[in-house]
Amino acid sequence: MTEYLRGQIAKMANVNMETLRYYEELGLISTPLRSQAGYRLYSDEVLSRLVFIHNAKLCGFTLKEIKKALTKSESSGISIADFVTVVDKKMDRVRGEIAKQEIKLTAIADLRKNLLATDKHPGVQSTLEILKMDS
């Protein structure tokens, strides 16, 4: 079994050393063994978990959701069907967020169009006056 010092595993997993301690506190990774000199020693299993956590975060999962999945997998296990359901729910939430951002983007584009128009919308003209901008 390979053992890594805190700095080594942090570098390999591309995380801050304080993040390791935080993940330990949250129970996302196990408390490491200690060397005779008192240094924390991390296993390959911890490295795999750190990679999993990183990838899950990239997919938008929160640390709370990640911990729930890890805890469930350790106790009763997670079926692929259950995992697909969780992934589908996350995808639906992301689609909802994208839809909200699209609405904002449309509003901003309309604002820009109105700012550049020679015959400005009364609401835009009012905004320019409030902001003390020349029309």
Side-chain angles (χ1 to χ4, degrees):
M1 176 174 102
T2 307
E3 294 176 330
Y4 307 100
L5 295 173
R6 189 166 65 151
Q8 291 173 314
I9 200 160
K11 185 174 182 179
M12 292 168 66
N14 199 26
V15 297
N16 185 293
M17 288 194 292
E18 291 305 313
T19 301
L20 290 173
R21 192 172 290 156
Y22 182 61
Y23 286 176
E24 287 174 41
E25 289 173 14
L26 292 179
L28 291 168
I29 61 174
S30 58
T31 303
L33 299 173
R34 299 267 184 168
S35 69
Q36 288 182 346
Y39 295 108
R40 291 182 167 112
L41 299 173
Y42 296 89
S43 66
D44 285 322
E45 180 185 336
V46 170
L47 181 58
S48 294
R49 271 187 175 236
L50 291 169
V51 170
F52 167 77
I53 292 166
H54 176 76
N55 289 334
K57 285 176 61 179
L58 284 176
C59 290
F61 289 96
T62 64
L63 291 179
K64 184 177 179 181
E65 292 169 327
I66 294 167
K67 182 176 181 177
K68 183 177 178 181
L70 289 169
T71 301
K72 188 169 184 180
S73 71
E74 290 171 351
S75 62
S76 60
I78 301 174
S79 70
I80 291 176
D82 289 341
F83 192 53
V84 168
T85 299
V86 170
V87 169
D88 286 343
K89 287 179 183 177
K90 180 58 77 176
M91 287 173 60
D92 289 343
R93 284 194 295 271
V94 169
R95 284 186 186 107
E97 291 170 14
I98 290 170
K100 288 177 186 175
Q101 294 299 325
E102 289 290 341
I103 291 168
K104 288 180 188 177
L105 186 59
T106 299
I108 292 169
D110 288 345
L111 174 60
R112 183 181 190 283
K113 179 180 167 187
N114 280 303
L115 286 169
L116 297 173
T118 51
D119 186 29
K120 295 183 181 9
H121 182 277
V124 171
Q125 189 61 47
S126 174
T127 299
L128 292 174
E129 290 169 9
I130 290 169
L131 295 174
K132 298 178 177 33
M133 294 178 160
D134 294 331
S135 53

